[in-house]
Amino acid sequence: MEYLKEQEGKSVHDYRRVNMANMKSPIKVPGPVIVGAGPSGLAAAACLKQKGIPSLILERANCLASMWQLKTYDRLCLHLPKQFCQLPLMPFPQNFPSYPSKQQFLAYLKAYADHFGIKPALRKTVVSANFDHRCGYWRVKTREGVKKEESEYVCKWLIVATGENAEEVVPQIEGKDEFEGRILHTSSYKSGSVFCGKNVLVVGCGNSGMEVCLDLCNHNARPSLVVRDTVHILPQQMFGKSTFGLSMSLLKWFPVRLVDKFLLLMSHLMLGDTARFGLHRPKIGPLELKNLYGKTPVLDVGTLALIKSGKIKICRGIKQVAQHVVEFVDGKTENFDVIILATGYKSNVPSWLKGTDMFCEKDGFPRKAFPNGWKGKNGLYAVGFTKRGLLGASIDAKRIADDIEHCWKAAKTTYL
């Protein structure tokens, strides 16, 4: 043991000497480094702090929860009831509605950070992170500001909390450069007020695409929705309770497939046959589909009624665009002023996390590096990547803090 301690000490010394030669000393972080100051990163930091473990959050933006602050539309509310979206150790205020608004959620996150004394290092873009086997530490390099000044942090534990929605997914559309109207991703969409009286094509029929169409209708735009794949649409509430909460209760007693059959039966009774309006359901039930492929069902907040009334048109996939004309795969053509891409996001982890198993699925996250969804090797962790939303991120944060606590206590005992 004494030999190993001596070798580790020499490695750390050599490592620092090499960096001193480059005129830039690394910054030693006693606890974990957390990449990302969104809900996942805040949850991890709070759970660690409760156990007396300090951490450092590195955030590329200039604010907390930049995705929520900068890349969401104005009318956004949480799609699930607040009890399923609150972070560990601090519930939402009692006076908040069941489905808090974007501004209420942001206020909650700020209060959460203040309550636990979490102060992320902002405008710190992580450009690389790799495990140095010589000294047994993670080396995290960041770039900051207009001058792109570089810093390097050294830590025993690295927590990836950049989220599943870090970078916009922009599909390749033939003729897109010839389109004379405006093309934007939902990350740049704020309100339908600027599109009043315009023909707008929304590409993507997930929760965001559906809600953007609803918002456009409310501002007297004329939206059409591109639906390429099958989709499950469920009512947001059943029997006066949230569909999600009801599903979680039923799953305690019944298997997934039986609960799926119940959800589909109730959806048919409450919403009708969605296939009549061009919204065909997958053969796999909504919960099983979510478990297998991470595809979230749409919780209807009023969009379906507008589709039934004809105020929102359903279109097939896009074949090509030219000037203001969009041609669809079924041969139909129509003029549009604006195209809004509700095509989702992907992880950016493979661009900066080095030296791990980079087998990436469609979402761009190295899942083989995290066989349990939250824990990797050499003190590497991930929070918020299990495709279970804020509830999943909270569970991950608690597990990570518990796991690191064992190492933290062991290390303190060793050096006492």
Side-chain angles (χ1 to χ4, degrees):
M1 287 296 294
E2 291 299 322
Y3 169 75
L4 291 175
K5 287 181 185 177
E6 183 181 350
Q7 285 298 104
E8 181 179 351
K10 287 181 178 179
S11 296
V12 172
H13 176 75
D14 291 343
Y15 167 69
R16 287 177 175 169
R17 186 172 59 190
V18 168
N19 278 272
M20 284 298 289
N22 294 328
M23 304 300 291
K24 191 72 175 180
S25 298
I27 302 166
K28 180 70 184 293
V29 180
V33 164
I34 302 170
V35 185
S40 296
L42 296 178
C47 289
L48 288 164
K49 187 152 193 179
Q50 188 209 25
K51 296 179 180 297
I53 304 171
S55 63
L56 172 66
I57 298 180
L58 301 175
E59 168 58 48
R60 65 179 177 176
N62 63 353
C63 59
L64 296 175
S66 61
M67 180 75 188
W68 280 86
Q69 294 231 40
L70 308 175
K71 296 187 177 184
T72 52
Y73 41 90
D74 295 342
R75 64 157 285 131
L76 179 64
C77 292
L78 295 179
H79 290 125
L80 302 182
K82 61 184 179 182
Q83 64 265 32
F84 299 109
C85 300
Q86 61 195 20
L87 301 187
L89 309 173
M90 181 177 155
F92 280 99
Q94 288 187 351
N95 64 335
F96 273 30
S98 295
Y99 299 91
S101 68
K102 166 185 173 177
Q103 293 305 324
Q104 288 171 323
F105 185 58
L106 286 170
Y108 166 73
L109 292 180
K110 184 180 185 305
Y112 189 88
D114 291 343
H115 177 77
F116 292 102
I118 301 170
K119 298 179 180 180
L122 302 176
R123 300 184 183 88
K124 295 278 189 179
T125 300
V126 174
V127 293
S128 70
N130 65 300
F131 186 72
D132 190 334
H133 290 275
R134 296 174 299 167
C135 60
Y137 284 80
W138 284 91
R139 299 167 57 183
V140 184
K141 294 182 180 179
T142 64
R143 194 170 290 141
E144 177 184 8
V146 179
K147 295 181 179 180
K148 296 185 177 181
E149 297 177 357
E150 292 190 355
S151 300
E152 187 169 22
Y153 299 84
V154 182
C155 56
K156 195 73 175 176
W157 304 279
L158 177 66
I159 301 174
V160 180
T162 48
E164 298 171 313
N165 301 327
E167 304 289 347
E168 295 89 345
V169 173
V170 178
Q172 293 296 319
I173 300 174
E174 186 177 345
K176 184 173 68 172
D177 294 339
E178 299 176 21
F179 187 70
E180 294 180 358
R182 184 181 176 190
I183 299 178
L184 68 153
H185 191 272
T186 47
S187 59
S188 300
Y189 178 92
K190 296 301 177 186
S191 169
S193 59
V194 297
F195 303 113
C196 178
K198 295 185 181 296
N199 293 326
V200 183
L201 183 64
V202 179
V203 182
C205 60
N207 280 294
S208 293
M210 288 284 194
E211 196 161 354
V212 164
C213 282
L214 176 62
D215 189 53
L216 288 164
C217 274
N218 290 342
H219 288 92
N220 297 315
R222 295 182 292 273
S224 297
L225 180 65
V226 172
V227 181
R228 293 191 308 164
D229 302 316
T230 54
V231 58
H232 277 302
I233 301 178
L234 306 178
Q236 191 177 42
Q237 296 201 174
M238 294 181 181
F239 307 113
K241 296 184 177 181
S242 77
T243 299
F244 181 81
L246 182 61
S247 300
M248 293 300 100
S249 297
L250 290 172
L251 286 172
K252 295 177 182 178
W253 301 97
F254 304 103
V256 171
R257 291 192 178 184
L258 190 58
V259 177
D260 271 342
K261 286 183 179 180
F262 169 78
L263 293 176
L264 292 175
L265 174 62
M266 293 306 303
S267 296
H268 186 81
L269 292 173
M270 296 176 69
L271 304 177
D273 181 10
T274 59
R276 291 175 51 206
F277 309 100
L279 301 166
H280 298 274
R281 292 188 182 276
K283 293 181 180 179
I284 304 174
L287 298 182
E288 188 177 4
L289 190 69
K290 173 70 173 175
N291 290 340
L292 290 174
Y293 303 105
K295 188 173 182 180
T296 304
V298 172
L299 295 174
D300 181 49
V301 292
T303 308
L304 190 59
L306 295 173
I307 293 173
K308 291 177 179 179
S309 69
K311 290 185 178 180
I312 298 174
K313 295 180 181 179
I314 299 297
C315 304
R316 299 297 99 195
I318 297 174
K319 182 179 180 181
Q320 61 182 358
V321 301
Q323 298 176 329
H324 286 284
V325 179
V326 176
E327 181 183 354
F328 300 96
V329 292
D330 58 5
K332 293 181 181 179
T333 60
E334 194 168 342
N335 287 359
F336 290 97
D337 304 299
V338 182
I339 297 175
I340 297 176
L341 303 174
T343 44
Y345 299 83
K346 63 181 179 180
S347 163
N348 67 359
V349 176
S351 68
W352 56 267
L353 183 60
K354 310 299 180 182
T356 60
D357 190 337
M358 285 290 109
F359 177 86
C360 302
E361 296 185 350
K362 288 183 179 179
D363 59 5
F365 188 67
R367 302 219 175 267
K368 276 193 175 180
F370 299 92
N372 298 315
W374 60 277
K375 183 178 180 180
K377 297 178 180 179
N378 301 319
L380 176 65
Y381 299 90
V383 54
F385 289 91
T386 50
K387 295 190 177 295
R388 290 180 293 167
L390 293 167
L391 178 61
S394 294
I395 294 171
D396 293 341
K398 293 174 185 175
R399 287 174 173 169
I400 291 168
D402 288 342
D403 200 66
I404 291 177
E405 183 183 26
H406 295 305
C407 304
W408 181 263
K409 287 182 176 178
K412 290 183 72 174
T413 303
T414 301
Y415 291 103
L416 283 177

